[in-house]
């Protein structure tokens, strides 16, 4: 058994995970991210202990703990180098957790952990696997020969920060035209707002009004499904942005499987199928070789827990 | 000792390479690429034998042979699946070479082999290494943990075919706006021609006239070095295209070292230094972590031979 901790800016989700990637029990507690790390880690430890007890287990049953944290991670030393939305700066997460549990602790970037979780969920031992998460940003994690790929300095796999449109929309990273600036849900919301402003007659406007004025990542998809043409244009353009970046990922990695996660992946085949068609048409190999399987993520919110647990398993070999 | 064969559309270059990546002896023979593969492989075998004799070696001194070939390669089975400029279709290169030499034969994509050669030339055991070749296209090879990265179907690492400019210039691969369509030497020549047409007063025009009317990858660089402002604009824009793609590669792989090869890399620091500056400014990590070392390729034309030899060495473990 392993403990997997998905540390987010809002919530800490924790689960006890077995060797088959099954979550035995899980729970969550608010992060209250303005606190210092010692208090946050204490809550992690308390909830972990609570879950161990609830599951009728003993501390000795837990072989290792894994934590998926946002930000830049020094996985070797178990340190969160920097995490913007946690006010973390060189936080020795492993050392601090070891004050409560004297077992190995893996610290991993959250997108990497989620990718490892989704990889385990496929049940296939791929040579190469990529998970893309469409959310506030475009996150990504790459698994090569069963191990998370991090590059030499631990910061590899920032696929959201590869150019899609040279000199395009300014990205949060300071560059212009990153994939993230076009394919994140934040970007879809921006694209939806622009379309509503131009076409106030669109069904999207009604949906937004019913929704208390809030434009979400679902607005355009919902209206398009009801036949709204303006919404369909927004969806088509957004899908093209997603697919263009996915094609880049395929030409780069030729992963056996590529999963698309994040809230928007709940659209399922409505999102994934056109992406698949685009990639089949434009990928470098175009069907001359076995193609990457593109599918919606299956674990979604649980991917972080399962992946963190497997990062722990990987750590102890 | 290993034999490294760099099979090109025009020439076949062959070298005998020792365990330290040193070429003991080398030679070349025309490919005459309209011939069938049996004749081409016979020439490979004859030249290899000639080099073995010239070097005062015996066939028994050669542990394995590696061939770097253009096109899609089935490395597992030693087959060239398809190579456009060789008229090769499912050619059993290993099997055919084994008719002459009864030793292990590795068959590798030429860009991958060249990358492995440049990797060995750095003398550093990087976790991740990337070589970019700016030529007719933009070739690339990725070495992870000392092994060539190929993706699950062998076609990975086509970094030249990732979008730089959505809906931009049509690429040979059928997509629009690939990095290759902007950063290949072919693209630089196109960009130079456009500038000369607009500005016939540019020094570039004189250089071209002296050169028998031929625009080359050097035209803009040569004129810029002599103070021609229009040429400088061409060079600056080209360097930006190269650097933008290199930044994408860094954000994706965070390689310890990235080398830029191809004829144009003979411009050395004049090309590499501005690329380095751009990447320092725009890469995702921006100096918060150790940075990728960007340098000009060192082996250049010999990279294919050395890399093919080391692919052979890798094959026999």
């Amino acid at each position: 058994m392993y403990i997997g901790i998905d540390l987010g800016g809002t919530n800490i989700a924790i689960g006890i995970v077995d060797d088959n990637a099954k979550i035995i029990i899980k729970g969550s507690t608010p992060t209250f991210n303005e606190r210092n790390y010692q208090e946050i880690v204490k809550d992690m430890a308390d909830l972990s202990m609570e879950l161990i007890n609830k599951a009728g287990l003993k501390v000795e049953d837990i072989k290792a703990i894994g934590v998926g944290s946002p930000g830049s991670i020094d996985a070797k030393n178990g340190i969160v180098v920097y995490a913007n939305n946690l006010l973390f700066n060189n936080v020795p997460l492993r050392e601090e957790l070891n004050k409560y549990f004297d077992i190995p602790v893996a610290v991993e970037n959250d997108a990497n952990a989620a990718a490892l979780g989704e990889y385990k969920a496929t049940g296939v031992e791929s040579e190469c696997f990529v998970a893309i998460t469409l959310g506030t940003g475009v996150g990504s994690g790459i698994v090569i020969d069963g191990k998370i790929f991090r590059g030499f300095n631990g910061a590899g796999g920032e696929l959201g920060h590869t150019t899609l449109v040279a000199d395009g929309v300014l990205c949060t990273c300071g560059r212009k035209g990153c994939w993230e600036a076009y394919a994140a849900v934040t970007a879809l919301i921006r694209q939806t707002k622009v379309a509503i402003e131009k076409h106030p007659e669109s069904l999207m406007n009604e949906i937004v009004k019913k929704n208390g004025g809030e434009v979400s990542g679902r607005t355009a998809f919902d209206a398009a499904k009801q036949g709204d043409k303006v919404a369909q244009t927004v969806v088509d353009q957004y899908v093209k942005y997603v697919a263009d970046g996915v094609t880049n990922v395929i030409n780069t990695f030729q992963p056996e499987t590529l999963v698309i996660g994040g809230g928007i992946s709940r659209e399922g085949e409505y999102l994934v199928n056109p992406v698949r068609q685009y990639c089949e048409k434009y990928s470098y190999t175009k069907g001359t070789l076995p193609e990457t399987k593109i599918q919606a993520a299956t674990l979604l919110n649980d991917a972080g827990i399962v992946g963190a647990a497997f990062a722990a398993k990987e750590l102890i070999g």
Side-chain angles (χ1 to χ4, degrees), chain A:
Chain A
M1 303 281 185
Y2 307 88
I3 288 179
I5 304 180
D6 184 6
L7 172 59
T10 312
N11 279 296
I12 303 165
I14 304 186
I16 298 176
V17 180
D18 71 12
D19 282 285
N20 302 315
K22 205 184 144 217
I23 298 177
I24 305 297
I25 189 169
K26 65 177 177 175
S28 84
T29 184
T31 310
F32 298 125
N33 64 355
E34 72 291 351
R35 298 185 298 167
N36 65 36
Y37 74 87
Q38 289 90 343
E39 291 178 70
I40 292 174
V41 171
K42 186 177 183 307
D43 281 0
M44 285 182 187
D46 288 349
L47 177 54
S48 296
M49 209 53 234
E50 192 186 316
L51 293 170
I52 291 171
N53 291 332
K54 265 194 196 164
L57 294 167
K58 282 174 285 181
V59 174
E60 294 79 46
D61 295 323
I62 308 298
K63 290 187 215 157
I65 302 177
V67 186
S69 163
S72 304
I73 308 297
D74 174 353
K76 247 175 229 164
N77 298 304
I79 289 169
V80 180
V81 178
Y82 176 71
N84 184 35
N85 54 354
L86 284 170
L87 314 173
F88 274 21
N89 240 316
N90 282 310
V91 164
L93 210 54
R94 172 182 295 157
E95 196 184 298
E96 191 65 20
L97 259 169
N98 273 150
K99 291 183 183 166
Y100 302 92
F101 297 97
D102 192 21
I103 54 176
V105 173
V107 181
E108 191 47 74
N109 169 273
D110 55 356
N112 287 350
L116 189 61
E118 293 290 352
Y119 169 71
K120 291 295 166 187
T122 63
V124 180
E125 300 262 326
S126 309
E127 274 179 64
C128 183
F129 171 92
V130 176
I132 303 293
T133 308
L134 306 174
T136 313
V138 172
S140 58
I142 300 146
V143 181
I144 295 176
D145 289 332
K147 290 188 304 180
I148 293 166
F149 173 80
R150 300 185 185 91
F152 94 106
N153 59 8
E158 285 293 346
L159 303 180
H161 299 287
T162 55
T163 314
L164 196 70
V165 183
D167 293 319
V169 172
L170 186 67
C171 181
T172 52
C173 77
R175 266 178 108 190
K176 282 181 178 174
C178 286
W179 187 24
E180 170 162 315
Y182 290 85
V185 174
T186 325
L188 170 59
I189 291 172
R190 189 189 70 232
Q191 293 150 13
T192 305
K193 282 179 181 168
V194 169
I196 293 175
E197 200 152 306
K198 267 195 197 162
H199 301 277
E201 79 285 2
S202 157
L203 180 59
M204 292 189 288
N205 211 354
E206 270 179 55
I207 293 176
V208 169
K209 278 179 192 158
K210 272 186 206 156
N211 201 19
E214 201 202 336
V215 178
S216 80
R218 286 216 309 272
T219 309
F221 277 93
D222 286 350
K225 282 174 195 165
Q226 291 174 57
D228 186 75
K229 281 189 183 160
V230 178
Q232 191 61 54
T233 313
V234 173
V235 167
D236 289 348
Q237 181 61 58
Y238 175 72
V239 164
K240 189 176 175 298
Y241 288 136
V242 172
D244 218 14
V246 168
T247 306
N248 288 346
V249 175
I250 290 175
N251 287 351
T252 301
F253 290 101
Q254 292 288 349
E256 196 155 344
T257 307
L258 183 148
V259 306
I260 300 176
I264 198 131
S265 68
R266 291 205 175 79
E267 300 291 339
E269 284 301 300
Y270 197 81
L271 170 70
V272 173
N273 198 40
V275 169
R276 207 178 277 136
Q277 285 175 355
Y278 185 94
C279 295
E280 273 167 19
K281 193 167 169 193
Y282 291 109
S283 79
Y284 189 66
T285 51
K286 290 180 199 65
T288 58
L289 285 170
E291 298 278 302
T292 299
K293 232 182 287 170
I294 303 172
Q295 54 197 49
T298 50
L299 293 180
L300 291 172
N301 291 339
D302 288 341
I305 290 175
V306 174
F310 271 83
K313 193 181 175 194
E314 189 182 294
L315 181 74
I316 61 174

